[in-house]
């Protein structure tokens, strides 16, 4: 039987294997809450769905673009550092095949030189414009209840001193040799007793002793969210997000339940840069414009109209340009059309 792949309607479906951190063997996943998170200044966190019959876990993600650093953690409901999550490579493996030698035809020489010059000029003069991509917002859109920018306060040598001196919505409680960070409740009448989600640059922290011993001089800002937050099957009583200056969790010492790796999502949506020469002053700008692609619009909303006007400007190049239009009707029928325009000096 072949491998079954689920359709990815909303985003990547990532598979993993729940392992016993001590023995390195597959575990049945009982008493573990696997998490998948991306490192950065936004909160991007996914709770995995476990399959005890084969020790596997599935993460249903969305809005994952670009190559980013990710982390997995096996939140143990009983013992710390008992489980970890090993990721299953999401890419199909192909057998090695030698490609034929690249052969360029002599009549392509002029066109290739023109395009090479155009690419170099674009990267030299307007590289910032052509590399703009959409910024993916964090998954929690609500504003934190408290924000503490630590540079605005007296710096103390330990995280415990900072919490005691001026972060009143937080407090460390001690249970034997372990510390637990609690948040002031929404009613402002007490502190939650357990199950606070701690994040350092987006990385979930299961052992609160890590935060207790973390160097506060590395932290730029602390965001505090009170109330209950649900990530699939996991419910957390408040969130504390520690932001470092470069969002690269310097000096963070995690347990055996946490692993870091690079994950490559889909290509980010890039903004097409097109100079607007309709302004009389812009016509006289001295920047060269060697665009071979004059317009690229992956999404055109017609609003039910039969005609749509899309303004664009030509470049310094002359000659024939192909216009290609493709789309889908409201009844899911494909439509397409082509035309050729001539740009003369």
């Amino acid at each position: 039987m072949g491998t079954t792949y689920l359709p990815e309607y909303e985003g990547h479906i990532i598979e993993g294997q729940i392992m016993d951190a001590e023995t390195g063997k597959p575990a049945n996943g009982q008493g573990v809450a696997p998490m998948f998170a991306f490192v950065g200044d936004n909160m991007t966190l996914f709770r995995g769905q476990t399959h005890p019959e084969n020790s596997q876990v599935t993460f249903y993600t969305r809005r994952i673009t670009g190559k980013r650093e990710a982390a997995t953690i096996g939140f143990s409901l009983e013992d710390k550092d008992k489980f970890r999550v090993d990721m299953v490579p999401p890419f199909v493996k192909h057998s090695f095949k030698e490609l034929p030698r690249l052969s360029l035809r002599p009549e392509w020489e002029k066109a290739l030189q023109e395009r090479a010059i155009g690419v170099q000029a674009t990267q030299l003069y307007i590289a910032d414009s052509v590399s703009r991509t959409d910024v993916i917002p964090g998954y929690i859109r609500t504003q934190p209840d408290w924000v503490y920018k630590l540079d605005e306060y007296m710096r103390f040598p330990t995280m415990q001193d900072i919490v005691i001196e001026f972060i009143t919505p937080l407090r460390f409680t001690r249970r034997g040799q372990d510390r637990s960070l609690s948040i002031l409740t929404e009613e402002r009448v007490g502190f939650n007793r357990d199950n606070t989600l701690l994040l350092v640059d987006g990385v979930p922290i299961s052992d609160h002793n890590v935060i207790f011993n973390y160097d506060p001089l590395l932290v730029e800002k602390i965001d505090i969210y009170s109330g209950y937050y649900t990530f699939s099957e996991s419910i957390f009583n408040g969130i504390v997000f520690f932001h470092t200056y470069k969002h690269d969790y310097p000096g963070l010492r995690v347990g055996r339940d946490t692993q870091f790796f690079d994950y490559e999502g889909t290509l980010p949506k890039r903004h097409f840069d097109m100079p607007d020469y309709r302004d009389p002053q812009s016509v006289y700008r001295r920047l060269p414009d060697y665009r071979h692609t004059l317009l690229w619009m992956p999404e055109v909303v017609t609003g039910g109209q039969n005609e749509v006007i899309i303004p664009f400007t030509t470049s310094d190049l002359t000659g024939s340009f192909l216009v290609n239009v493709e789309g889908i009707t409201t009844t899911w029928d494909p439509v397409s059309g082509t035309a050729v325009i001539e740009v003369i000096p």
Side-chain angles (χ1 to χ4, degrees):
M1 295 179 63
T3 303
T4 301
Y5 295 96
L6 296 176
E8 298 178 317
Y9 293 115
E10 296 184 358
H12 283 193
I13 299 176
I14 305 173
E15 302 286 346
Q17 186 87 31
I18 299 177
M19 311 293 290
D20 190 303
E22 296 181 358
T23 64
K25 297 181 179 180
N28 60 15
Q30 296 291 340
V32 60
M35 290 285 185
F36 179 97
F38 282 101
V39 178
D41 59 343
N42 286 326
M43 197 181 308
T44 307
L45 184 66
F46 304 97
R47 165 68 156 88
Q49 296 186 11
T50 57
H51 310 285
E53 66 276 5
N54 54 13
S55 304
Q56 291 186 349
V57 57
T58 304
F59 298 96
Y60 295 92
T61 69
R62 56 193 177 96
R63 300 203 307 267
I64 294 180
T65 60
K67 189 175 183 179
R68 304 163 62 186
E69 186 178 15
T72 59
I73 181 171
F75 268 111
S76 176
L77 306 181
E78 298 175 356
D79 300 324
K80 295 185 178 67
D81 297 350
K82 185 176 181 179
F83 301 101
R84 73 168 192 263
V85 180
D86 290 351
M87 304 309 300
V88 177
F91 303 105
V92 177
K93 293 184 179 180
H94 299 279
S95 59
F96 176 78
K97 184 181 296 184
E98 186 175 354
L99 297 176
R101 183 178 179 180
L102 180 63
S103 177
L104 301 179
R105 302 175 63 175
E107 55 266 29
W108 296 348
E109 181 178 0
K110 181 179 179 181
L112 291 175
Q113 286 182 347
E114 290 180 351
R115 288 184 176 270
I117 294 173
V119 170
Q120 294 177 53
T122 300
Q123 293 296 327
L124 180 62
Y125 292 104
I126 58 172
D128 294 340
S129 299
V130 298
S131 60
R132 290 186 303 115
T133 57
D134 278 353
V135 177
I136 304 299
Y139 284 6
I140 291 186
R141 305 296 180 86
T142 58
Q143 295 298 318
D145 296 277
W146 298 276
V147 176
Y148 288 87
K149 297 180 179 179
L150 300 192
D151 288 338
E152 298 177 355
Y153 298 86
M154 175 70 71
R155 284 288 191 170
F156 292 93
T158 67
M159 194 67 72
Q160 183 181 24
D161 291 335
I162 288 180
V163 171
I164 292 175
E165 294 295 335
F166 59 82
I167 305 185
T168 56
L170 296 180
R171 76 172 181 183
F172 280 105
T173 57
R174 185 168 182 171
R175 299 177 182 176
Q177 298 299 319
D178 294 331
R179 269 85 173 184
S180 178
L181 191 59
S182 301
I183 303 176
L184 189 65
T185 61
E186 291 182 288
E187 296 80 12
R188 310 296 197 263
V189 294
F191 290 81
N192 62 350
R193 298 186 61 86
D194 54 15
N195 205 28
T196 301
L197 175 61
L198 303 187
L199 301 170
V200 177
D201 293 331
V203 180
I205 305 298
S206 60
D207 186 359
H208 290 199
N209 291 311
V210 173
I211 295 298
F212 183 82
N213 297 315
Y214 196 62
D215 186 356
L217 297 179
L218 302 175
V219 178
E220 178 186 22
K221 184 179 66 168
I222 300 176
D223 293 338
I224 304 172
Y225 302 81
S226 64
Y228 290 92
Y229 293 86
T230 302
F231 296 88
S232 186
E233 301 175 16
S234 296
I235 301 177
F236 293 97
N237 193 355
I239 303 174
V240 185
F241 197 128
F242 295 81
H243 299 262
T244 65
Y245 288 92
K246 295 183 179 180
H247 313 296
D248 57 355
Y249 55 89
L252 184 65
R253 303 183 66 178
V254 296
R256 294 174 299 176
D257 58 354
T258 304
Q259 298 191 101
F260 295 91
F261 58 96
D262 291 331
Y263 188 85
E264 186 173 1
T266 58
L267 293 177
K269 181 179 179 180
R270 180 167 295 181
H271 295 267
F272 183 83
D273 182 72
M274 180 186 66
D276 189 354
Y277 296 119
R278 290 175 294 182
D279 182 7
Q281 296 297 326
S282 64
V283 177
Y284 299 100
R285 73 174 190 167
R286 300 173 62 88
L287 293 178
D289 185 359
Y290 295 153
R291 291 177 294 128
H292 287 77
T293 302
L294 304 181
L295 178 68
W296 166 249
M297 295 186 66
E299 297 180 7
V300 179
V301 180
T302 63
Q305 302 296 320
N306 294 328
E307 296 183 359
V308 178
I309 299 177
I310 304 175
F312 68 95
T313 59
T314 60
S315 63
D316 296 339
L317 304 177
T318 60
S320 301
F321 288 83
L322 176 66
V323 180
N324 187 24
V325 180
E326 297 177 349
I328 299 177
T329 67
T330 56
T331 57
W332 304 103
D333 296 322
V335 294
S336 63
T338 60
V340 176
I341 62 173
E342 295 289 338
V343 178
I344 60 177

